Amino acid sequence: MIRPRASLRAACAIAAGLVASVSLAALGGMAAATAAPAPVSAPASPLTPFVDCVQDAPLGAVTARTVVLGYRSTADAAVELPAGGGRNDLSSAPADRGQPTAFLPGEHHGAWLLTVDAAAEPSLGWQLDGATVAIDGDAPSCTTATSVAVSAPATAAAGSTVPVSAAVTRALLAAPGDGTVEFSLDGRVVARVPVTAGTARADIPAPAAGAHTIAAAYAPADGSALRPASASARLTVVPAAGPLAIAADSVVGGSTSARVIVSRTSSAGAATVEFATTDGTARSGADYVRTVGTVALADGQTQAMVIVPLAVRKPGAPASTFFVVLRRASTDVSTAVAAVSLPAVPVARPPAPAAAAIGGGGGSLSAAAAGPSSALPEGDPTAAAPSAVGASQDLFWIVVAALLTGGGIAGVLGLLRAAGGRRGDL
């Protein structure tokens, strides 16, 4: 029997190892594929129900219990939950009892008023998207319970002033007319305002850019049986936008529109502003088209253009001006008015009449030629100088004229006598 060589034995060992590795990997993959997936926790519900107050009223042998309920939503948009669908039910009772089905972001008091038989349904519960609140007699009485609703803008620019208000109410009775409301920003009290007819208002400085919380806490007057209450609202502060300015481009003759530019020095944050045209010496309809609108500058945008159509103006219309005005801006305005200047419209002149011809026969003479003998001005340096021949001829005639005058006459008579003497000799 022939023994295999050492190299052959080594190759076989390596091949066996590879086969074993592949087999183990396949078995591991099958085990992973058949293993149960890891449990995934359900996201927490953004909705929380609460009881504002309870009021019992005996009606003979029956005690009618009136319950005022509300909810709090941390969602960014409205949440729809149908009544009796398993996520918006009443326990130990018919699931649909007229509860709200649309839940808006924020905190909402007095969203639902429910009346039950206190003896027949002593321990109801409102189940809202996994959270449950007990409806029983342990809640505050509606004669003393209060609630607060905060009203504030959702966004504001850093460094600006934020107007906020708080409405203090009672579920079944009139709003309180006394007490105070403390407004706080991120837990720090920034204003304390007395309540007048259930309302308190304040202007608070906007903090640095970012997400913030405005809270309002109602404190009843000393000796009052009313209970305190509080509420909050979210505020997003954006970087301050540069002040807005408006300027008009020049308008040339024949233009059909005027361009007006709304700009700012800083592009940080968003800004909006309304604009409107107004008459000056130019009139809407006759010189331009009345235009109104809103300019919105997005974050990172420094300018936007407004186009104002121009009317067809009559020949001879004088230069005139109208204005474009900014109003209701979301930020500061450095220049609120732009003047648009319209040029005068020239009057169309008739063409010059053709030159009339005079004369007849074989030639013609223009009206211009029928005037002065020369079209050149007197003493025109471009006129031709007199020639030398003409000058010598003039001198000859001057000498002849001189001979014919004075002594020249005697010479003529002498010539005549000489001619007579020759005739006598003959």
Side-chain angles (χ1 to χ4, degrees):
M1 182 174 180
I2 302 174
R3 294 183 178 179
R5 295 181 179 179
S7 59
L8 181 60
R9 289 198 301 271
C12 292
I14 293 173
L18 290 174
V19 170
S21 300
V22 171
S23 300
L24 290 174
L27 290 174
M30 293 176 60
T34 57
V40 178
S41 59
S45 170
L47 302 178
T48 303
F50 55 78
V51 176
D52 281 321
C53 64
V54 173
Q55 190 68 39
D56 289 343
L59 297 175
V62 178
T63 299
R65 173 167 293 167
T66 301
V67 186
V68 181
L69 300 104
Y71 65 90
R72 185 180 298 106
S73 175
T74 59
D76 294 329
V79 177
E80 295 283 343
L81 292 178
R87 300 173 62 191
N88 184 9
D89 301 338
L90 280 175
S91 62
S92 305
D96 187 354
R97 299 284 287 272
Q99 61 265 41
T101 59
F103 301 90
L104 302 176
E107 188 170 303
H108 301 272
H109 298 270
W112 180 28
L113 189 146
L114 174 67
T115 301
V116 299
D117 184 342
E121 300 178 297
S123 58
L124 277 176
W126 183 21
Q127 300 173 350
L128 183 60
D129 205 20
T132 302
V133 61
I135 301 174
D136 52 32
D138 293 337
S141 170
C142 290
T143 59
T144 60
T146 62
S147 62
V148 177
V150 180
S151 177
T155 60
S160 65
T161 299
V162 182
V164 296
S165 64
V168 184
T169 59
R170 287 189 287 176
L172 303 178
L173 299 174
D178 54 13
T180 59
V181 169
E182 281 186 350
F183 292 100
S184 61
L185 184 62
D186 297 332
R188 180 177 60 88
V189 177
V190 292
R192 183 177 288 107
V193 183
V195 174
T196 303
T199 304
R201 295 183 176 85
D203 292 327
I204 63 176
H212 302 274
T213 301
I214 296 176
Y218 168 66
D222 293 340
S224 173
L226 297 179
R227 299 169 65 96
S230 62
S232 62
R234 289 177 293 179
L235 172 67
T236 301
V237 178
V238 298
L244 301 176
I246 186 170
D249 285 350
S250 59
V251 178
V252 299
S255 296
T256 58
S257 62
R259 300 192 308 172
V260 180
I261 307 298
V262 178
S263 62
R264 56 181 177 171
T265 56
S266 171
S267 63
T272 60
V273 64
E274 296 179 7
F275 67 89
T277 55
T278 183
D279 286 353
T281 53
R283 298 289 184 262
S284 63
D287 300 302
Y288 70 95
V289 179
R290 182 177 179 271
T291 307
V292 297
T294 301
V295 171
L297 296 173
D299 185 21
Q301 183 180 0
T302 57
Q303 67 177 25
M305 182 184 299
V306 173
I307 301 296
V308 180
L310 300 180
V312 178
R313 304 165 68 209
K314 297 179 180 179
S320 55
T321 303
F322 68 91
F323 304 95
V324 182
V325 182
L326 298 182
R327 58 190 183 184
R328 298 187 183 93
S330 63
T331 186
D332 295 336
V333 176
S334 60
T335 304
V337 181
V340 181
S341 299
L342 303 179
V345 180
V347 178
R349 298 184 180 277
I358 61 173
S364 64
L365 186 63
S366 68
S373 59
S374 174
L376 296 176
E378 185 176 355
D380 192 320
T382 61
S387 64
V389 174
S392 60
Q393 290 177 349
D394 290 342
L395 180 60
F396 169 77
W397 290 110
I398 290 174
V399 173
V400 170
L403 292 175
L404 293 176
T405 59
I409 295 174
V412 171
L413 293 178
L415 290 174
L416 292 176
R417 283 196 297 267
R422 289 194 191 96
R423 204 177 286 121
D425 293 334
L426 295 176

